[in-house]
Amino acid sequence: MSASPSRARIAVTGLGTVNPLGGDVASTWQAALAGTSTARTLDNDWKDVYGLSVDFACQLAPGALDELPRPQAKKLDPSGQYSMVAAREAWADAGAPEVEPSRLGVVVGTGIGGIWTTLDQWDAVRERGARRVNPFTVPMLMANSSSAQISMELGARAGAHTPVSACASGAEAVSVGMSMIRDGRADVVVVGGTEACIHPMTLAAFANIRALSSRVDDPATASRPYDVERDGFVLGEGAAILVLESEAHAAARGARVYAYAGGRGMASDAHHISAPSAEGQASAVREAVADADVEPKDIVHLNAHGTSTPLGDIGELEAVRTALDHTTDQIVVTSTKSMTGHLMGGAGALESLFSALAVHHRVAPPTINIETLDPQTPMQIAQNSPVDLPAGDIAALNNAFGFGGHDVTVVFTSA
């Protein structure tokens, strides 16, 4: 397995996250390996007030935002708060690399953006009048708020971008960041995704299209990818940020490298707004593997999109098998959404972080809550327990697919 001779490798040198499992990378990884469920009944009156049929979700870990100064927090939507805390951890974890501002970029995706700000300020103008609208409303609600705020924090002038491709947004941000380095626009790019949409409107909307699990009597086991009784996803929230560097820049400063972002593939289904297409998913996987210049036999782990839906879970794995010419017996599959819930626009970023850590530590986190494995599951699942990955040169896939037919795959290879 080797990098494509036409381009230098891209190192992952920093990681940061806030999510339902933890308020930093270390606690998140520990909780993931322990197979921790974070789905809980919401401690509020939304069910009674709004008549919600689903009143549980995977909320941010307690204390995750404690280090964010209150004056700054008040000027950020929750989605912006999440990404800022994660970005600060990732930047510190990378050693705060010295880089010319014109060679530093930021790419942070989101699926929905500042929905809390949007709806709260609509309530303000409707109930109390125009003068009561927060003057920071527009900078808070705009989808590019996170990338803009992080770029200002770090002084990044190579470009600040915001992919908005539903649940593929975070993984697409990783892909765009890779392209910025490959195209010579930047030496270092801070990439990731964020989402804060656990809100009565979004819960109602997803429940009404029957996308959410209705397991209200036992929310802790509701997210159960590949189980025969899976019935939908659980909504989650949070952010994940990765620091990407050209291999030369990372080597010159002696940076610690978790893994290499080796390849990326992107496709669009042009098929249906919410129903997935195996053809589009297979195309993204095939392109990413070719881009990384790895062989199917080198791929030992898949952090799957795996949302816990009856149709999507098995279809994704069949698409991967098709893309890899059925060379998949060595691949250990994980859906970390079984523990974190579905972070929407932040999902692909958090799962990229998990993929880099899996390659780095050579262990695949578990898919939890599997009581009876679906007999149609065509690949090996890390069922309820972590699975060790082999020594030597290895690669992992991260899949992220979004409503609208957005398909993204990123390949991470061992350092």
Side-chain angles (χ1 to χ4, degrees):
M1 180 171 62
S2 62
S4 171
S6 65
R7 59 175 69 93
R9 296 187 297 181
I10 298 171
V12 180
T13 60
L15 301 172
T17 185
V18 294
N19 65 82
L21 283 172
D24 56 29
V25 172
S27 60
T28 294
W29 185 241
Q30 182 179 18
L33 293 182
T36 306
S37 173
T38 61
R40 301 287 185 275
T41 301
L42 298 171
D43 184 18
N44 55 41
D45 60 1
W46 291 354
K47 183 175 183 179
D48 295 334
V49 172
Y50 303 113
L52 292 180
S53 60
V54 175
D55 64 338
F56 62 91
C58 296
Q59 294 181 286
L60 202 68
L65 304 179
D66 286 352
E67 299 302 315
L68 188 66
R70 181 170 174 78
Q72 185 178 30
K74 290 175 66 176
K75 296 179 181 179
L76 296 172
D77 181 80
S79 62
Q81 296 173 18
Y82 301 171
S83 62
M84 182 60 72
V85 174
R88 286 175 176 168
E89 182 189 9
W91 191 248
D93 186 49
E98 293 185 8
V99 56
E100 288 292 328
S102 63
R103 304 294 299 167
L104 173 62
V106 176
V107 189
V108 179
T110 185
I112 299 177
I115 191 167
W116 271 97
T117 297
T118 301
L119 296 178
D120 282 353
Q121 295 310 305
W122 168 239
D123 287 343
V125 72
R126 181 170 54 88
E127 296 170 3
R128 294 180 288 161
R131 290 184 178 273
R132 302 307 297 269
V133 171
N134 186 336
F136 297 104
T137 293
V138 173
M140 291 169 67
L141 67 82
M142 60 191 192
N144 63 307
S145 178
S146 289
S147 58
Q149 294 285 353
I150 293 168
S151 71
M152 289 185 283
E153 167 114 344
L154 299 177
R157 296 179 180 172
H161 306 293
T162 305
V164 178
S165 48
C167 306
S169 301
E172 188 166 332
V174 178
S175 301
V176 173
M178 292 171 65
S179 295
M180 289 182 70
I181 294 173
R182 288 178 172 181
D183 293 345
R185 291 181 54 199
D187 296 316
V188 180
V189 186
V190 176
V191 302
T194 188
E195 205 78 87
C197 65
I198 298 178
H199 184 281
M201 189 276 286
T202 49
L203 283 166
F206 281 123
N208 286 352
I209 61 169
R210 299 183 180 179
L212 295 181
S213 170
S214 60
R215 199 179 290 267
V216 294
D217 57 333
D218 187 16
T221 68
S223 184
R224 47 177 59 211
Y226 316 115
D227 187 89
V228 292
E229 294 189 1
R230 64 192 182 278
D231 69 332
F233 69 82
V234 178
L235 196 58
E237 61 182 357
I241 299 291
L242 299 80
V243 177
L244 304 182
E245 294 188 50
S246 69
E247 184 176 26
H249 192 277
R253 67 184 189 88
R256 179 266 328 277
V257 177
Y258 286 103
Y260 289 103
R264 78 284 185 272
M266 291 184 282
S268 52
D269 291 351
H271 167 64
H272 190 278
I273 197 66
S274 58
S277 161
E279 182 179 356
Q281 294 175 1
S283 178
V285 172
R286 195 177 293 114
E287 179 183 332
V289 171
D291 187 49
D293 197 22
V294 299
E295 298 294 330
K297 64 181 177 59
D298 298 319
I299 301 166
V300 299
H301 178 48
L302 166 64
N303 190 304
H305 186 61
T307 58
S308 189
T309 59
L311 177 64
D313 291 0
I314 304 303
E316 174 188 1
L317 299 188
E318 292 289 2
V320 171
R321 280 170 54 80
T322 298
L324 301 182
D325 295 325
H326 298 272
T327 307
T328 57
D329 289 347
Q330 78 287 358
I331 298 177
V332 178
V333 178
T334 294
S335 171
T336 43
K337 289 184 180 73
S338 61
M339 297 178 281
T340 66
H342 193 343
L343 270 63
M344 313 308 287
L350 180 57
E351 290 152 20
S352 288
L353 182 149
F354 280 134
S355 299
L357 286 173
V359 167
H360 179 68
H361 292 292
R362 296 182 183 270
V363 59
T367 304
I368 66 170
N369 298 326
I370 298 177
E371 296 178 3
T372 304
L373 185 68
D374 188 328
Q376 297 185 64
T377 305
M379 295 169 64
Q380 177 189 355
I381 309 297
Q383 187 173 334
N384 298 319
S385 298
V387 174
D388 290 336
L389 300 177
D393 291 338
I394 60 173
L397 304 180
N398 172 37
N399 282 342
F401 310 131
F403 276 13
H406 306 280
D407 303 310
V408 180
T409 299
V410 183
V411 176
F412 292 91
T413 60
S414 53

Short mmCIF file of all heavy atoms in Angstrom, two decimals, residues 106 163 223 386:
data_model
loop_
_atom_site.label_atom_id
_atom_site.label_comp_id
_atom_site.label_asym_id
_atom_site.label_seq_id
_atom_site.Cartn_x
_atom_site.Cartn_y
_atom_site.Cartn_z
N VAL A 106 -9.73 26.89 6.70
CA VAL A 106 -10.77 26.33 7.57
C VAL A 106 -11.92 25.84 6.70
O VAL A 106 -12.36 26.57 5.80
CB VAL A 106 -11.29 27.37 8.59
CG1 VAL A 106 -12.43 26.78 9.41
CG2 VAL A 106 -10.17 27.85 9.50
N PRO A 163 -19.25 23.46 3.51
CA PRO A 163 -20.11 22.54 2.77
C PRO A 163 -21.43 22.33 3.50
O PRO A 163 -21.45 22.12 4.71
CB PRO A 163 -19.30 21.23 2.74
CG PRO A 163 -17.91 21.61 3.12
CD PRO A 163 -18.04 22.81 4.01
N SER A 223 -30.99 3.09 19.18
CA SER A 223 -30.10 3.10 18.02
C SER A 223 -29.40 1.75 17.95
O SER A 223 -28.52 1.45 18.75
CB SER A 223 -29.07 4.23 18.14
OG SER A 223 -28.29 4.29 16.96
N PRO A 386 -15.39 -4.02 21.16
CA PRO A 386 -14.34 -3.59 20.23
C PRO A 386 -13.67 -4.80 19.58
O PRO A 386 -13.67 -5.91 20.13
CB PRO A 386 -13.36 -2.83 21.12
CG PRO A 386 -14.09 -2.55 22.39
CD PRO A 386 -15.10 -3.64 22.55
#
